[in-house]
Structure formats: C-alpha cells, structure tokens
Amino acid sequence: PADTFDDAPPAKRVHHESYIKEPSIFNMKPADDVTKYIADFISKYCHMEHVEIEAKLGVLIDKQTNQRIAIDALTETIIDPKHARHYRFESNMALEQHRHFNKILNDLVNKSQARDYKASPSRQKWRVTTDKDGKIVPNGVIEKQRVADLNIHAPNQPLDYRISINLEKPRPKPNSTHSFERNKDRISYQHGNIAFDLTQVKGTDDTRHELELEYADASLLAQEYAKYNRKEASQYTQMIEVLMNNIRLLSRSALK
C-alpha cells in the first residue's frame, strides 16, 4: 500500500511545574513607557546638589470645570507639560482618605512640626523645622526652590500623582518675623531608600492632608545613573521602578 503521511503538528508539551521560564525570548523585561519617561526625566536632575525628588498623590483639576480632568485616556498617562495652563494639581485629600493611608503607614513613626517662613520683601520660601519644644532641628532651615514637575493621570484609580524636582538649600536662621505660619504634623515611614510622609498642614484658615514619597538619599540615584551611562551594572531603573510601584499601589489602595 502507498505510504501515508500525517500533516498534524506534534502534540504540544505542557510542563505543569512552570509555564514561565524567562520574562521574554530576549530574557529581559523592558521598563514600561511611563516608568522609562519618568526615569529619563529624573536623570536630568538627580545629580544636582540639595535636590529633592518626590512623588505626591492628588487629583488633576480642570480649571474650567473645577472637576477632575476627563481626557481620552484609558490607562495611566503622562500629561504633556505644555497643557499645564489648563489644569492644576490638588494634593489635598479628604480627612477620611488621610486616615485610611494612616492605617496603611502606621509603623516606624517619626513626628515633627514645621513652620513655613516667607522672607520679606522677596518671594523666597524658607522652612524652619522645630522639635516639639520649639527648638530648630539640625539643618532645619532651608529655602525650597521649585525646579520641574511631571503630572500623571490615572483614570482608573481614585488619585493621580505628580513627580516633583525641588532644591532644598540650607540657610541660616531668618532674622525677620514670618509673614504666615503653617503647622505640620507629620508621620514618616521609610522603606529602603523611599521615605513616606503623611502630613496634616494647619494654616490660618484651613487644614490640608497630604501624602508624598521621596528618595531619602537622592545622591544614590545619581551614583547609579552614572554607572548606567558608563554601561556598568546599575540599579538606576530598578530604583525608579520601586518609587513607581509604591505610588501606584498607594493610588490603587485609596478609597473610592
């Protein structure tokens, strides 16, 4: 009889012990676009002296409607800075939300009080941090200068977030009296190189509640980015991913 041939493919082999051996055929995992853009953004500033790199939870508000922005985005997206005039970032959150995060970040607590000074007649903003007895703590007088911001809208989550670059320059104790005062009750928690600050800010007319994350030592970022540029083994991207993981998970855990 004539030979017969079976064109059916061989049976697929299923290994039940593990379906994933490697992250890809290239054996690597690429950073997602948002994280990569933020990593490139931070790399421009992490080498600066006295730099503060922080992420703050809040809501992006449309200036015309005074409501949260509604754009044609289905997932997390970075807002082009050229559109900044159309919206504002509101970091204040409801007291209930603040208490919710307080329950999450309730370990390893450090408390401090701070007062903000605005030197006259200039528009410089100085912050004087004191202990509970009113004494200025070491390096407790700084001038804070805003450098750059990047706003990220998370339409599927209750809160958006902002990545901010600031300079915190040490200054001598101001001789002038402060033109206004804000008392801050702050609970701080640190995990690795990320500090979590849950703050209640009491002003003359209102009380604000904020949650921000920042690199405890930004110079470590600069060191790792220098290695990255030299094509050496570097943890720069992973350090950015840790910040992103934390801010994303906190946003997702927020009250609806």
Side-chain angles (χ1 to χ4, degrees), residues 93-109 111 185-189 197-200 209-211 250 253 255:
M93 63 180 65
L95 177 59
E96 185 180 6
Q97 189 78 267
H98 187 263
R99 287 173 174 167
H100 172 69
F101 284 125
N102 193 12
K103 291 180 181 179
I104 297 175
L105 303 172
N106 61 356
D107 297 322
L108 303 177
V109 174
K111 293 185 178 180
D185 292 325
R186 173 171 291 165
I187 298 174
S188 297
Y189 170 74
D197 290 333
L198 192 61
T199 308
Q200 178 176 268
H209 303 90
E210 300 176 346
L211 174 58
L250 284 169
S253 67
L255 297 175

Side-chain angles (χ1 to χ4, degrees), residues 119-133:
S120 180
S122 72
R123 297 183 62 83
Q124 294 174 322
K125 183 178 180 182
W126 290 29
R127 187 174 72 211
V128 179
T129 302
T130 62
D131 59 21
K132 62 182 180 180
D133 297 320

Side-chain angles (χ1 to χ4, degrees), residues 156-220:
N156 297 321
Q157 311 306 332
L159 298 174
D160 305 309
Y161 59 97
R162 164 179 279 185
I163 307 295
S164 294
I165 311 294
N166 304 296
L167 295 181
E168 293 190 328
K169 298 181 178 180
R171 290 290 185 258
K173 181 180 178 180
N175 295 320
S176 60
T177 57
H178 55 279
S179 58
F180 70 95
E181 179 177 311
R182 294 193 304 168
N183 293 311
K184 294 185 179 181
D185 292 325
R186 173 171 291 165
I187 298 174
S188 297
Y189 170 74
Q190 187 165 332
H191 180 260
N193 194 33
I194 304 295
F196 303 74
D197 290 333
L198 192 61
T199 308
Q200 178 176 268
V201 186
K202 296 180 180 179
T204 304
D205 301 318
D206 64 351
T207 299
R208 300 173 58 83
H209 303 90
E210 300 176 346
L211 174 58
E212 62 186 32
L213 289 64
E214 69 174 274
Y215 287 102
D217 187 351
S219 68
L220 297 179

